[in-house]
């Protein structure tokens, strides 16, 4: 074996070792440069070919070229191996177990008052009642006077009123909607009006803002019996088919006769709202002839209904906005 041949074999061996020893793509690039780079040992060998005589040059040139190709092949094989290993490592490090349960985004739900209100509205619309709202800042006429409560009427004191600049009031009940809706409308009709009302009364059982639902129906043969029938169906829809109501004679300026109604809750009777036959004066103020038309009306607290339906301890929890409480209903 000539000295030249063994030199080539030696280079081949050392290149193989260097390639195998490279532990990163960067180290491999450096190793390759040591042999095949411009200043590499194989390149240096190629440059010496010119000094040889033609016969020798051909044989040696072939041998060096083979060495060069073999190094290139080893480098690319090793590179594939190193890259594969790097990928395995990064997969292992950022392991994603797609069978793990995901993080559930917290979902909100409707406030209990909204839930009850929607349920009430659904019941009455199924009975053919239309829905009206009316404003929360109201004229004295719509909130009091047209409902048979002139300025000196004692019932005004009972409804601790918030007064607004310009002689308006924050409506103390949803009965204002009766006047708004009946004025300029021709019977027969039936409406409900859920919404916020305001009274200057702050105690554990009261809030200065609360919710009522008003209902009224005017036709040419409406009786107190119709009123009771509607209220019974309503109470049983909300609270269960065995629910009982109790009607107690009472006085409201805008109904005659009037009754207060209680709803049975276990062994207790809870005050639920007021009702009666719409007073003829109220109809007249709305330009409806009381000789031809009669109507019933009722109004009850939505918040109180929600309290009992969800078994909440106090009105306050409905308005505190404590999510821990609201999440339970
Ligand atoms: N507006 C009354 C209140 O807030 C409740 C009420 C009583 C409404 C009798 C009515 C009714 O429609 O007929 O205290």
């Amino acid at each position: 074996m000539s000295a030249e041949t063994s030199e080539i074999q030696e280079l081949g061996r050392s290149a193989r070792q260097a390639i195998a020893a490279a532990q990163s793509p960067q180290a491999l690039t450096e190793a390759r440069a040591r042999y095949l780079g411009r200043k590499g040992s194989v390149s240096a060998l190629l440059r010496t070919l010119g000094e040889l005589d033609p016969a020798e040059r051909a044989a040696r040139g072939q041998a060096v070229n083979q060495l060069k190709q073999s190094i290139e092949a080893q480098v690319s094989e090793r590179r594939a191996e190193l890259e594969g290993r790097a990928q395995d490592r990064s997969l292992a490090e950022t392991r994603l177990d797609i069978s793990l349960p995901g993080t559930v985004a917290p979902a909100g739900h409707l406030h209990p008052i909204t839930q009850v209100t929607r349920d009430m509205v659904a019941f009455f619309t199924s009975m053919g009642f239309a829905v009206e709202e009316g404003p929360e800042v109201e004229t004295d006429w719509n909130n009091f006077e047209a409902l048979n409560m002139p300025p000196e009427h004692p019932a005004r004191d009972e409804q601790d009123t918030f007064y607004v600049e310009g002689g308006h009031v924050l409506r103390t009940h949803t009965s204002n909607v009766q006047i708004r809706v009946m004025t300029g409308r021709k019977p027969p009709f039936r409406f409900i009006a859920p919404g916020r009302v305001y009274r200057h009364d702050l105690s554990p059982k009261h809030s200065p803002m609360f919710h009522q639902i008003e209902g009224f129906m005017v036709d040419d043969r409406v009786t107190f019996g119709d009123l009771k029938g509607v209220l019974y169906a309503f109470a049983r829809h909300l609270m269960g088919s065995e629910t009982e109501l109790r009607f107690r004679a009472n006085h409201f300026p805008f109904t005659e006769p009037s009754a207060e109604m209680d709803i049975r809750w276990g062994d207790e009777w809870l005050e639920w709202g007021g009702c009666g036959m719409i007073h003829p004066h109220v109809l007249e103020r709305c330009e409806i002839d009381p000789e031809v038309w009669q109507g019933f009306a009722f109004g009850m607290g939505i918040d109180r209904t929600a309290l009992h339906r969800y078994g909440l301890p106090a009105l306050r929890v409905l308005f505190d906005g404590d999510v821990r409480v609201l999440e339970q209903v």
Side-chain angles (χ1 to χ4, degrees), residues 81-95:
E81 202 176 296
L82 288 173
E83 282 172 354
R85 229 185 264 172
Q87 197 177 36
D88 287 349
R89 202 175 319 120
S90 100
L91 279 177
E93 278 165 7
T94 59
R95 185 181 222 98

PDB file of all heavy atoms in Angstrom, residues 81-95:
ATOM      1  N   GLU A  81     -29.763  12.105  12.001  1.00  0.00           N
ATOM      2  CA  GLU A  81     -29.873  11.457  13.301  1.00  0.00           C
ATOM      3  C   GLU A  81     -29.977  12.481  14.438  1.00  0.00           C
ATOM      4  O   GLU A  81     -30.842  12.402  15.313  1.00  0.00           O
ATOM      5  CB  GLU A  81     -28.596  10.632  13.483  1.00  0.00           C
ATOM      6  CG  GLU A  81     -28.685   9.493  14.457  1.00  0.00           C
ATOM      7  CD  GLU A  81     -27.348   8.734  14.423  1.00  0.00           C
ATOM      8  OE1 GLU A  81     -27.018   8.161  13.366  1.00  0.00           O
ATOM      9  OE2 GLU A  81     -26.624   8.773  15.433  1.00  0.00           O
ATOM     10  N   LEU A  82     -29.065  13.505  14.378  1.00  0.00           N
ATOM     11  CA  LEU A  82     -29.064  14.533  15.435  1.00  0.00           C
ATOM     12  C   LEU A  82     -30.369  15.328  15.442  1.00  0.00           C
ATOM     13  O   LEU A  82     -30.918  15.632  16.493  1.00  0.00           O
ATOM     14  CB  LEU A  82     -27.878  15.483  15.249  1.00  0.00           C
ATOM     15  CG  LEU A  82     -26.504  14.893  15.572  1.00  0.00           C
ATOM     16  CD1 LEU A  82     -25.403  15.891  15.188  1.00  0.00           C
ATOM     17  CD2 LEU A  82     -26.400  14.545  17.048  1.00  0.00           C
ATOM     18  N   GLU A  83     -30.868  15.656  14.254  1.00  0.00           N
ATOM     19  CA  GLU A  83     -32.105  16.442  14.187  1.00  0.00           C
ATOM     20  C   GLU A  83     -33.279  15.635  14.716  1.00  0.00           C
ATOM     21  O   GLU A  83     -34.144  16.143  15.416  1.00  0.00           O
ATOM     22  CB  GLU A  83     -32.356  16.928  12.754  1.00  0.00           C
ATOM     23  CG  GLU A  83     -31.473  18.136  12.430  1.00  0.00           C
ATOM     24  CD  GLU A  83     -31.531  18.547  10.960  1.00  0.00           C
ATOM     25  OE1 GLU A  83     -32.177  17.823  10.171  1.00  0.00           O
ATOM     26  OE2 GLU A  83     -30.910  19.575  10.623  1.00  0.00           O
ATOM     27  N   GLY A  84     -33.294  14.355  14.377  1.00  0.00           N
ATOM     28  CA  GLY A  84     -34.347  13.478  14.879  1.00  0.00           C
ATOM     29  C   GLY A  84     -34.325  13.424  16.393  1.00  0.00           C
ATOM     30  O   GLY A  84     -35.359  13.504  17.058  1.00  0.00           O
ATOM     31  N   ARG A  85     -33.120  13.350  16.949  1.00  0.00           N
ATOM     32  CA  ARG A  85     -32.984  13.279  18.399  1.00  0.00           C
ATOM     33  C   ARG A  85     -33.479  14.577  19.054  1.00  0.00           C
ATOM     34  O   ARG A  85     -34.167  14.566  20.066  1.00  0.00           O
ATOM     35  CB  ARG A  85     -31.508  13.062  18.768  1.00  0.00           C
ATOM     36  CG  ARG A  85     -31.322  11.933  19.758  1.00  0.00           C
ATOM     37  CD  ARG A  85     -29.889  11.863  20.169  1.00  0.00           C
ATOM     38  NE  ARG A  85     -29.147  10.892  19.388  1.00  0.00           N
ATOM     39  CZ  ARG A  85     -27.808  10.760  19.460  1.00  0.00           C
ATOM     40  NH1 ARG A  85     -27.105  11.556  20.239  1.00  0.00           N
ATOM     41  NH2 ARG A  85     -27.216   9.847  18.754  1.00  0.00           N
ATOM     42  N   ALA A  86     -33.116  15.712  18.420  1.00  0.00           N
ATOM     43  CA  ALA A  86     -33.547  17.011  18.958  1.00  0.00           C
ATOM     44  C   ALA A  86     -35.076  17.104  18.965  1.00  0.00           C
ATOM     45  O   ALA A  86     -35.684  17.605  19.909  1.00  0.00           O
ATOM     46  CB  ALA A  86     -32.944  18.147  18.128  1.00  0.00           C
ATOM     47  N   GLN A  87     -35.678  16.572  17.918  1.00  0.00           N
ATOM     48  CA  GLN A  87     -37.137  16.627  17.834  1.00  0.00           C
ATOM     49  C   GLN A  87     -37.773  15.747  18.917  1.00  0.00           C
ATOM     50  O   GLN A  87     -38.719  16.169  19.586  1.00  0.00           O
ATOM     51  CB  GLN A  87     -37.582  16.152  16.452  1.00  0.00           C
ATOM     52  CG  GLN A  87     -38.993  16.564  16.138  1.00  0.00           C
ATOM     53  CD  GLN A  87     -39.387  16.149  14.730  1.00  0.00           C
ATOM     54  OE1 GLN A  87     -38.980  15.091  14.260  1.00  0.00           O
ATOM     55  NE2 GLN A  87     -40.153  16.975  14.073  1.00  0.00           N
ATOM     56  N   ASP A  88     -37.204  14.563  19.097  1.00  0.00           N
ATOM     57  CA  ASP A  88     -37.722  13.674  20.153  1.00  0.00           C
ATOM     58  C   ASP A  88     -37.648  14.358  21.511  1.00  0.00           C
ATOM     59  O   ASP A  88     -38.567  14.290  22.317  1.00  0.00           O
ATOM     60  CB  ASP A  88     -36.900  12.379  20.223  1.00  0.00           C
ATOM     61  CG  ASP A  88     -37.192  11.476  19.040  1.00  0.00           C
ATOM     62  OD1 ASP A  88     -38.170  11.763  18.303  1.00  0.00           O
ATOM     63  OD2 ASP A  88     -36.430  10.500  18.838  1.00  0.00           O
ATOM     64  N   ARG A  89     -36.506  15.033  21.729  1.00  0.00           N
ATOM     65  CA  ARG A  89     -36.317  15.673  23.023  1.00  0.00           C
ATOM     66  C   ARG A  89     -37.361  16.775  23.219  1.00  0.00           C
ATOM     67  O   ARG A  89     -37.994  16.893  24.247  1.00  0.00           O
ATOM     68  CB  ARG A  89     -34.896  16.247  23.125  1.00  0.00           C
ATOM     69  CG  ARG A  89     -34.451  16.446  24.550  1.00  0.00           C
ATOM     70  CD  ARG A  89     -32.989  16.911  24.648  1.00  0.00           C
ATOM     71  NE  ARG A  89     -32.091  16.251  23.717  1.00  0.00           N
ATOM     72  CZ  ARG A  89     -31.367  16.896  22.779  1.00  0.00           C
ATOM     73  NH1 ARG A  89     -31.469  18.196  22.658  1.00  0.00           N
ATOM     74  NH2 ARG A  89     -30.559  16.232  21.992  1.00  0.00           N
ATOM     75  N   SER A  90     -37.563  17.589  22.167  1.00  0.00           N
ATOM     76  CA  SER A  90     -38.487  18.704  22.363  1.00  0.00           C
ATOM     77  C   SER A  90     -39.931  18.182  22.486  1.00  0.00           C
ATOM     78  O   SER A  90     -40.740  18.726  23.214  1.00  0.00           O
ATOM     79  CB  SER A  90     -38.337  19.737  21.254  1.00  0.00           C
ATOM     80  OG  SER A  90     -39.343  19.584  20.300  1.00  0.00           O
ATOM     81  N   LEU A  91     -40.227  17.072  21.821  1.00  0.00           N
ATOM     82  CA  LEU A  91     -41.562  16.481  21.996  1.00  0.00           C
ATOM     83  C   LEU A  91     -41.752  15.983  23.422  1.00  0.00           C
ATOM     84  O   LEU A  91     -42.811  16.153  24.021  1.00  0.00           O
ATOM     85  CB  LEU A  91     -41.759  15.317  21.023  1.00  0.00           C
ATOM     86  CG  LEU A  91     -42.141  15.704  19.602  1.00  0.00           C
ATOM     87  CD1 LEU A  91     -42.232  14.461  18.716  1.00  0.00           C
ATOM     88  CD2 LEU A  91     -43.460  16.452  19.571  1.00  0.00           C
ATOM     89  N   ALA A  92     -40.674  15.399  23.943  1.00  0.00           N
ATOM     90  CA  ALA A  92     -40.766  14.863  25.303  1.00  0.00           C
ATOM     91  C   ALA A  92     -40.916  15.997  26.314  1.00  0.00           C
ATOM     92  O   ALA A  92     -41.669  15.903  27.281  1.00  0.00           O
ATOM     93  CB  ALA A  92     -39.537  14.028  25.625  1.00  0.00           C
ATOM     94  N   GLU A  93     -40.186  17.095  26.036  1.00  0.00           N
ATOM     95  CA  GLU A  93     -40.247  18.219  26.987  1.00  0.00           C
ATOM     96  C   GLU A  93     -41.597  18.916  26.979  1.00  0.00           C
ATOM     97  O   GLU A  93     -42.095  19.344  27.999  1.00  0.00           O
ATOM     98  CB  GLU A  93     -39.160  19.248  26.629  1.00  0.00           C
ATOM     99  CG  GLU A  93     -37.810  18.862  27.190  1.00  0.00           C
ATOM    100  CD  GLU A  93     -36.668  19.657  26.555  1.00  0.00           C
ATOM    101  OE1 GLU A  93     -36.933  20.593  25.775  1.00  0.00           O
ATOM    102  OE2 GLU A  93     -35.503  19.313  26.851  1.00  0.00           O
ATOM    103  N   THR A  94     -42.173  19.065  25.813  1.00  0.00           N
ATOM    104  CA  THR A  94     -43.451  19.780  25.727  1.00  0.00           C
ATOM    105  C   THR A  94     -44.587  18.793  25.523  1.00  0.00           C
ATOM    106  O   THR A  94     -45.435  18.966  24.688  1.00  0.00           O
ATOM    107  CB  THR A  94     -43.438  20.779  24.560  1.00  0.00           C
ATOM    108  OG1 THR A  94     -43.188  20.020  23.366  1.00  0.00           O
ATOM    109  CG2 THR A  94     -42.378  21.826  24.717  1.00  0.00           C
ATOM    110  N   ARG A  95     -44.580  17.782  26.354  1.00  0.00           N
ATOM    111  CA  ARG A  95     -45.572  16.721  26.196  1.00  0.00           C
ATOM    112  C   ARG A  95     -46.985  17.269  26.395  1.00  0.00           C
ATOM    113  O   ARG A  95     -47.280  17.970  27.336  1.00  0.00           O
ATOM    114  CB  ARG A  95     -45.290  15.642  27.246  1.00  0.00           C
ATOM    115  CG  ARG A  95     -46.195  14.463  27.082  1.00  0.00           C
ATOM    116  CD  ARG A  95     -45.948  13.413  28.119  1.00  0.00           C
ATOM    117  NE  ARG A  95     -45.989  12.097  27.503  1.00  0.00           N
ATOM    118  CZ  ARG A  95     -44.922  11.441  27.132  1.00  0.00           C
ATOM    119  NH1 ARG A  95     -43.742  11.959  27.313  1.00  0.00           N
ATOM    120  NH2 ARG A  95     -45.040  10.246  26.588  1.00  0.00           N
TER     121      ARG A  95
END
